[in-house]
Amino acid sequence: MSEISLALSGGAARGAYHLGVLQYIDDMNIKIKYICGTSIGAVIGTSYAAGVSPRRQLEIFKSKEFREAISFNFFRKSIFRINSKAAIFNELLPIDNLEELNIPVFFTAVDLISGKELYYSSGKVPEICMAFSALIPLFPPVKYNELLLGDGGIINHMPINPLQEHPYPIVGVNLHPLTISHNQNNIFDFLKSSIYLKTYSNSGDSQNKCDVFITNDKLRDYSLFSFKHFDELFDMGYLDAADSLDIYATMPD
């Protein structure tokens, strides 16, 4: 049985792509020893480590109950809010503490006061998931252990630092293809490019340190906040994983 460490980026609704990758990993009997993630990658990684299958997670994300757990916040500190006490989150995250997971998971967050990237491998669930998935300004920042935290993807969309301390090949999955359009015609296009380069520079460093890197330029065509294309993204992730992870694939026991 092949063994790997897995890094899962942020990317909101594009997270269904992560689920396709995980499904291929399961089908090919590849064992994940450690997971590091941010935002939706951390939530999906935690759910998987708690024993919720990729296909079951897909059903949860597609459900009416999940959509109803996210509501408009009338611009009170954020545009949207998540009801972390909704029953559907008990199905997605059926554990109380990160320490109970079958696979160690590292969350990333950014300290909004100091700007530091922080890593956590313990804490309450799902509270910690909400804290470390607070994409500003879409969702409000969260106070945790006397710190004001936001989504770690703000400064690094695919963190791998904790995985480098372990002797397993690192597989990185990034929902934000690191490419920029050359069709820049005005000051706003150049502004977007400069922000993009700053935000994703750390992801580029992480990519170069991965043993296997999985992404797809077509991901740019999918909205971060649409619930319409989960099945397409799942299938895309599965096929891309098959292309990239064939050297680790083994027959099921």
Side-chain angles (χ1 to χ4, degrees), residues 191-207:
L191 180 60
K192 285 192 295 183
S193 293
S194 64
I195 294 173
Y196 184 98
L197 286 169
K198 176 64 176 177
T199 303
Y200 300 120
S201 61
N202 288 335
S203 296
D205 292 340
S206 296
Q207 171 183 335

Side-chain angles (χ1 to χ4, degrees), residues 13-21 23 54-63 67 219 222-223 226-240:
R14 293 177 187 171
Y17 184 91
H18 285 329
L19 296 176
V21 172
Q23 187 62 54
R55 291 196 184 278
R56 176 57 188 144
Q57 287 191 55
L58 184 65
E59 292 176 0
I60 290 172
F61 287 124
K62 290 167 60 177
S63 70
R67 292 195 302 272
L219 284 166
Y222 291 87
S223 169
S226 172
F227 289 76
K228 296 180 180 179
H229 304 291
F230 285 156
D231 289 323
E232 292 177 30
L233 288 162
F234 183 96
D235 292 342
M236 186 191 303
Y238 190 96
L239 292 175
D240 288 345

Side-chain angles (χ1 to χ4, degrees), residues 26-52:
D26 274 1
D27 288 349
M28 293 298 107
N29 204 33
I30 301 169
K31 184 175 180 61
I32 301 172
K33 299 294 289 184
Y34 294 92
I35 297 173
C36 186
T38 193
S39 193
I40 191 62
V43 174
I44 286 174
T46 300
S47 184
Y48 178 84
V52 183

Side-chain angles (χ1 to χ4, degrees), residues 185-192:
N185 301 314
N186 57 55
I187 186 63
F188 297 105
D189 290 333
F190 286 110
L191 180 60
K192 285 192 295 183

